[in-house]
Amino acid sequence: MSSDQVQIGVIGGSGLYHLDNLTFIKHVNPETPWGFPSSPISICSLPSGARVAFLARHGTGHSINPSAVPARANIAALKSLGAHTVLAFSAVGSLREEIAPGDFVLPTQIVDRTKGVRPASFFEGTSVVAHAAFGDPFSTKLVQWLEREVAKALEGRGVKLHTDKTIVCMEGPQFSTRAESILYRNWGCDIINMSVLPEAKLAREAELAYALIATATDYDAWRPHEETVTAAEVFKTLKTNAETSRHVAATILEDLHAADFLKDEVGSMKFSIMPRSEAQKDEDRQKLAYVLPDYFS
């Protein structure tokens, strides 16, 4: 494995706009067939010399609404830089008493409550049809590895880690109503955010191993006799959560770069793409070759 090749892309969420323990090398801003990413991507070096690409999901200065995040460009840009794995961070609301603000969560399932306004597939608007498997929306081996390594990184910091949880992704930018928050709890959801989709779906289509490290900032709106969540309440814990997230990333990225499962998703779309026919346009195949060169070059 070449030390100058990007293997891991990191997507920072609310409050997480840079990483520690990395040496900045350069900014890149690749134009993809789906436009430019949310922000210029920082190419950084780990102490070993291994390269990591860092992207701020909501743009420089948090200027992009969750529903307007150019997720296709973000994932495509990371793939074009050589990434095989994407480690995403996100602030979330808690739907469970035991998941307190400041806690970390590694979800394994997603419930989609977006409204169809976000392009959710690289194949959307093309003449090519594909049905990616999404029963397990996060990379299983990556999540299992993170369960061990994040727990070790959090030791002695007084921060709890919750695993095997379900995240519901809502549209926003407004927070939930009380009725919605209670409904999601009754559905068995544990945390809520506005960002994990379509990011996870696109990562699967691009054959990238993807996992989310979620940090709880609030209790959403389900708790009786308490005020509903506000941006001011979220901001109270964002800074602390971001500092802890940077510590976790600095602790685990070196070992993650050396893991043997980074390319596990490669080949996963082989049987998801419907057989080629005359209806497939050459310009669409050229576009899709940007993220899936093995099938469309």
Side-chain angles (χ1 to χ4, degrees), residues 161-175:
L161 174 65
H162 305 268
T163 60
D164 197 23
K165 300 300 181 183
T166 297
I167 183 170
V168 55
C169 186
M170 62 176 290
E171 194 58 65
Q174 300 83 4
F175 293 120

Side-chain angles (χ1 to χ4, degrees), residues 91-277:
V92 299
S94 170
L95 299 172
R96 300 293 163 190
E97 191 70 42
E98 64 270 21
I99 302 176
D103 286 0
F104 275 50
V105 187
L106 287 170
T108 51
Q109 281 296 325
I110 306 173
V111 171
D112 189 354
R113 282 286 293 166
T114 59
K115 303 291 180 62
V117 299
R118 312 177 185 194
S121 172
F122 289 112
F123 298 88
E124 186 173 317
T126 76
S127 57
V128 182
V129 176
H131 301 282
F134 204 59
D136 296 305
F138 302 102
S139 175
T140 300
K141 287 185 180 180
L142 176 57
V143 172
Q144 290 173 344
W145 186 90
L146 288 170
E147 288 175 354
R148 298 189 302 271
E149 299 304 317
V150 174
K152 287 193 290 187
L154 292 174
E155 286 178 0
R157 300 184 72 91
V159 177
K160 291 183 179 179
L161 174 65
H162 305 268
T163 60
D164 197 23
K165 300 300 181 183
T166 297
I167 183 170
V168 55
C169 186
M170 62 176 290
E171 194 58 65
Q174 300 83 4
F175 293 120
S176 308
T177 67
R178 290 190 188 275
E180 289 170 333
S181 194
I182 292 169
L183 176 65
Y184 301 148
R185 278 170 49 82
N186 290 338
W187 282 355
C189 300
D190 304 294
I191 52 176
I192 182 168
N193 86 340
M194 303 177 190
S195 301
V196 70
L197 294 176
E199 200 170 86
K201 290 182 177 180
L202 295 165
R204 181 59 51 83
E205 286 189 346
E207 298 189 335
L208 299 176
Y210 176 92
L212 182 76
I213 297 179
T215 58
T217 58
D218 58 85
Y219 277 114
D220 205 50
W222 59 270
R223 280 175 137 193
H225 314 302
E226 286 197 11
E227 294 295 324
T228 60
V229 62
T230 65
E233 181 183 356
V234 170
F235 292 149
K236 290 179 183 178
T237 54
L238 267 182
K239 183 178 180 181
T240 300
N241 284 359
E243 290 173 353
T244 308
S245 294
R246 284 192 289 272
H247 165 75
V248 168
T251 304
I252 69 174
L253 278 175
E254 196 78 79
D255 287 340
L256 178 58
H257 193 274
D260 61 3
F261 52 78
L262 295 186
K263 297 184 180 181
D264 268 10
E265 294 296 332
V266 175
S268 62
M269 289 293 291
K270 183 177 182 179
F271 299 109
S272 297
I273 302 166
M274 295 298 99
R276 183 176 183 180
S277 69

Side-chain angles (χ1 to χ4, degrees), residues 14-46:
S14 299
L16 185 61
Y17 306 113
H18 69 275
L19 294 178
D20 294 335
N21 201 39
L22 298 176
T23 301
F24 174 78
I25 297 174
K26 62 181 177 179
H27 280 126
V28 295
N29 195 26
E31 184 176 11
T32 79
W34 300 273
F36 288 99
S38 295
S39 68
I41 298 172
S42 300
I43 305 298
C44 303
S45 174
L46 291 164

